[in-house]
Amino acid sequence: MSSLSLPTLLPFLPSLHSSSSHSFQSHNHQNQTTISKNKWRCSATEEPHRPNQISTKKTNKKKSPSTEPPKVVVDPVGFLTKHSITHKAFAQFLRERHKAMKDREDEILNRFHNLMEFASGYELMGLHRNVHHRVDYMEWAPGARYCALVGDFNGWSPTENSARDGHFGHDDYGYWFIILEDKLREGEEPDELYFQAYNCNEDYDKGDSGVTIEELFKKMNDEYWEPGEDRYIKSRYSVPAKLYEQMFGPNGPQSFDELEDLPDAETRYKAWKEKHKDDPPSNLPSTHVIDSGKEYDIYNVITGPEWREKFQAKSPPLAYWLEMRKGRKAWLKKYEPGIPHGSKYRVYFNTPGGPLERVPAWATYVLPVSLFCLDVDGNQSVAVHWEPSPEDAHKWKNMRPKVPKSLRIYECHIGISGTDPKISTFDEFRLKVLPHVKKAGYNVIQLIGVIEHKDYFTIGYRVTNLFAVSSRFGTPDDFKRLVDEAHGLGLLVFLDIVHSYSAADEMVGLSLFDGSNDCYFHTGKRGHHKYWGTRMYKYGDIDVLHYLYSNLKWWVEEYQIDGFQFHSLSSMMYTHNGFASFTGDLEEYCNQYVDKDALIYLAMANEMLHELHPNIITIAEDATLYPGLCEPIYEGGLGFDYYVNLSTSEMWSSLLENVPDKEWSMNKIVATLTGNKQIADKMLTYAENHNQSISGGRSLAEILFGEIRENSPSSDEILIRGYSLYKMIKLITFTIGGKAYLNFIGNEFGHPKRVEFPMASNKFSFCLANRRWDLLMDEVHSGLFSFDKDMMMLDENEKILSRRLPNIHHVNDSNMVISYMRGPLLFIFNFHPTNTYEKYSVGTEEAGEYQIILNTDEVKYAGQGHMKNEHYLQRTVMKRVDGLQNSLEVMLPSRSAQVYKLTRIFRL
């Protein structure tokens, strides 16, 4: 084979679901054939003629507006026009980026049929069971001279299972191909047909009818072939089988020199005619192959109408071929797998720099060498062939839940999710944490650190094997059970995906994978992150994109993942890795430090994912807030569904640690929480995520009351302040922002300790690498959990996050009071550390009765209970406040917040 990419055999059909003119399905190609819709119709849509149905040309031409697809005009600077932004340099950059993306699409279409095929590399790459009693292995290593698979299945021999020489073993793009034949059991004979298929990956006992090949051919001759056609049976089956075995069988040619030249078509045709000149007469019409002699000409078969009618009426004997397949029992009886399930293996390369052994890039299960995973051969990381039998493999039971209008995300790390000082597993998380997440009122779990990484203390962000779940948590099937049960509970499952950089490890990661420094990554300084010691991908290389896009599609298809948060986009979008000061000038987003290839990768990734699964959710984590993150691709955006407002958590930590309570600015709080109003509905907010709990910082609970509760339980005033601010911070962050909110595991009940992974600095201790679930039995922490749960139920019942953005009508820095309306709900916050207001006036949009449905100061929420029953129901008065005609006079205890609901409207 000269290339692993299949040639385009069928013309591209226009996609009915594409909203962009640069869709890969509808992209113009030099070899594209236009097919008229009038000539091709689906037979299932044809209806019989109805005599009573009136039909005219006029009514036929008229279409319902609802059935006509919206016409989308591609404008590379569309979102700038929409938001009235004028900046010539940035507009020119967007146009150039759009043209570069079209060129990238053309480059891909030269080797692949469409983007979906381009993103399906996992179907060929790595180890795959072939129905012809063998396992196929493919790997991309353009810098290697020799490739072999070594493992415990062949005694780690670098010569037993290797790729053939030349194009029988690798193509022009550096893709290596190795066949691992299954081994005949003692006393068994080889199959008569070299390409005998075995249904060994499907149902255990299906596919083997027990009919021999001779009986099946006789049955086909009696039932299918017409008289006179039986003489073609041997030429139809035996000859192709022998030819296939001669070319690709174990005794086939190893190089082009050993492959004999095939005569031209005319010579072969004349030889065939001479050989069959004495054949008995047949009742079938004769045919002749005519070759005009032109190189590009397709051989014309001259036939009569009788032959053409017979041929068109004939259907292929597919049923007989399916009956020829043998089942798994027959395969197990006759063969031993060439590489059994659970075998440990690596790929062996001979390179200009010498021999190398690497963990395959497309491995789906890896055992890395680390302090907590030493069960590997030769003290080197190894891949594990994961091919459980059909009866042991996980079978999906639950459908994907419907995507909610608002996202309440519960961010988790599997390893720290248990109480015991050890690494927790997928099964433990599934049994213990998933029910808690459902009870707490969240509708999404977002998992970090799930993808394989060598060092546990890196949290999982220095990924080494993008296609493998971390073996320290369990097996691939364990993870599938976790996702399946989460779906059964109505929870979506997101992954924190790291395509912005890669681990620099060589023995288990991709660095110097094939001995060259530019296989997956840039060379020189460009290929290394300035501060993190990680490697940077070449986003302009087709084969690297093939790897990354296939990885995204792999998690969606193989593990039913519902969404991705793209981690640290600023690391990949700029050559300075985002470590520069940004003033907000658009020039900073289109200068020489911007990586155009990375931006094109992100736009095409979003296009592919949303075409693959229309309900997929993609979230951008970008500290620089690149313009157009959540704008449509056809308007010049990058196509994300949400972006993360990183400023909110930084603001809360800074205020609590550096600014006295009386000096807090309400205007600054509101401005930070609301972000950019033009895209505020696409914002994901959080008071704290894993950064505060894991990445060297302190969680809000630890800052406010964690150490005090442990060491100074008598400091009631400090504890009251901590509990009060903790609830207020979470409530205002949850309700004032966009349609998505995130909470890190344990913070819903005020976990008092940060997370610290075992490392040399703490003598590899697990004492802080867990969650204190026992605190839920504590009165205070139970109260904080009850508040967080009721806050989630507030959105479930009142649809807060999915409503339009709030009308913030009262922000008073002197009184430290914030008030805003969101739908029928009125939110009032009093951040003043000492002042309690008995009758504080705030404006309302509607006149009527307002009732408190959530109060942070209630005793059941670890509050002080200052408000009495008579304060819970208030009526508006006709007094103009905050620019509104009506107002409420409410009681506001210090450091408390209330949520009022309009229960009755007064009509004038």
Side-chain angles (χ1 to χ4, degrees), residues 526 536 569-579 582 588-589 591 593-595 598 622 624-627:
R526 182 77 181 279
M536 307 306 296
L569 295 187
S570 55
S571 298
M572 62 186 288
M573 293 193 303
Y574 308 96
T575 57
H576 51 60
N577 304 131
F579 285 84
F582 283 80
E588 298 166 342
Y589 302 106
N591 57 27
Y593 302 110
V594 178
D595 190 337
D622 173 29
T624 67
L625 294 179
Y626 189 86

Side-chain angles (χ1 to χ4, degrees), residues 228 259 292 368 461 517 684 754 841 878 902 907:
L259 183 66
S292 65
Y461 283 110
N517 197 33
L684 182 151
R754 66 187 182 282
S841 296
M878 294 188 63
L902 178 61
R907 299 297 183 187

Side-chain angles (χ1 to χ4, degrees), residues 420-708:
D420 298 331
K422 67 179 185 67
I423 299 176
S424 293
T425 64
F426 289 132
D427 285 340
E428 291 170 340
F429 183 92
R430 175 174 55 88
L431 296 173
K432 299 177 181 179
V433 181
L434 282 183
H436 170 80
V437 177
K438 180 65 176 179
K439 178 183 177 182
Y442 292 85
N443 54 21
V444 181
I445 59 170
Q446 180 169 299
L447 302 174
I448 64 175
V450 165
I451 305 176
E452 188 58 79
H453 49 287
K454 188 186 77 169
D455 299 314
Y456 186 52
F457 69 86
T458 62
I459 309 170
Y461 283 110
R462 294 188 181 181
V463 176
T464 53
N465 308 95
L466 278 173
F467 287 84
V469 296
S470 180
S471 57
R472 54 180 58 85
F473 306 140
T475 67
D477 284 273
D478 293 338
F479 184 58
K480 288 180 181 179
R481 278 188 286 271
L482 188 158
V483 176
D484 200 6
E485 188 153 333
H487 286 168
L489 293 173
L491 300 172
L492 299 178
V493 181
F494 292 176
L495 279 190
D496 205 348
I497 197 81
V498 186
H499 282 185
S500 50
Y501 54 84
S502 178
D505 300 86
E506 296 179 10
M507 297 308 297
V508 64
L510 298 176
S511 187
L512 298 176
F513 181 71
D514 62 353
S516 63
N517 197 33
D518 59 350
C519 183
Y520 285 91
F521 309 112
H522 289 288
T523 56
K525 293 182 179 180
R526 182 77 181 279
H528 296 266
H529 195 287
K530 289 186 176 182
Y531 300 98
W532 296 345
T534 51
R535 299 302 308 272
M536 307 306 296
Y537 289 107
K538 290 192 298 185
Y539 298 104
D541 189 289
I542 294 298
D543 296 291
V544 175
L545 294 179
H546 180 226
Y547 180 76
L548 295 177
Y549 287 140
S550 298
N551 182 244
L552 294 173
K553 190 169 182 282
W554 160 263
W555 290 105
V556 176
E557 293 285 300
E558 181 70 13
Y559 292 104
Q560 303 291 300
I561 295 300
D562 304 295
F564 298 98
Q565 176 169 307
F566 284 74
H567 173 75
S568 188
L569 295 187
S570 55
S571 298
M572 62 186 288
M573 293 193 303
Y574 308 96
T575 57
H576 51 60
N577 304 131
F579 285 84
S581 58
F582 283 80
T583 62
D585 188 350
L586 288 179
E587 181 69 29
E588 298 166 342
Y589 302 106
C590 59
N591 57 27
Q592 70 272 23
Y593 302 110
V594 178
D595 190 337
K596 191 183 298 181
D597 289 331
L599 296 175
I600 293 173
Y601 159 74
L602 293 173
M604 291 173 59
N606 276 300
E607 183 178 12
M608 182 273 295
L609 285 172
H610 288 94
E611 186 175 338
L612 169 68
H613 184 43
N615 294 324
I616 204 81
I617 300 295
T618 58
I619 305 170
E621 185 190 61
D622 173 29
T624 67
L625 294 179
Y626 189 86
L629 278 175
C630 298
E631 299 293 345
I633 298 172
Y634 59 83
E635 291 185 354
L638 297 181
F640 286 96
D641 298 298
Y642 294 91
Y643 76 96
V644 179
N645 186 350
L646 297 168
S647 303
T648 57
S649 59
E650 296 173 0
M651 177 196 66
W652 290 124
S653 297
S654 177
L655 288 176
L656 292 174
E657 292 184 316
N658 304 315
V659 182
D661 293 2
K662 289 185 178 182
E663 297 179 13
W664 286 16
S665 170
M666 301 298 103
N667 279 285
K668 178 181 177 181
I669 291 174
V670 170
T672 304
L673 291 176
T674 53
N676 188 341
K677 293 183 179 180
Q678 293 176 337
I679 54 173
D681 61 326
K682 300 286 188 179
M683 181 170 59
L684 182 151
T685 59
Y686 52 80
E688 53 183 340
N689 73 340
H690 66 271
N691 289 329
Q692 286 68 42
S693 298
I694 293 179
S695 304
R698 293 195 297 164
S699 65
L700 299 186
E702 185 176 7
I703 296 172
L704 287 168
F705 54 79
E707 296 294 337
I708 297 173

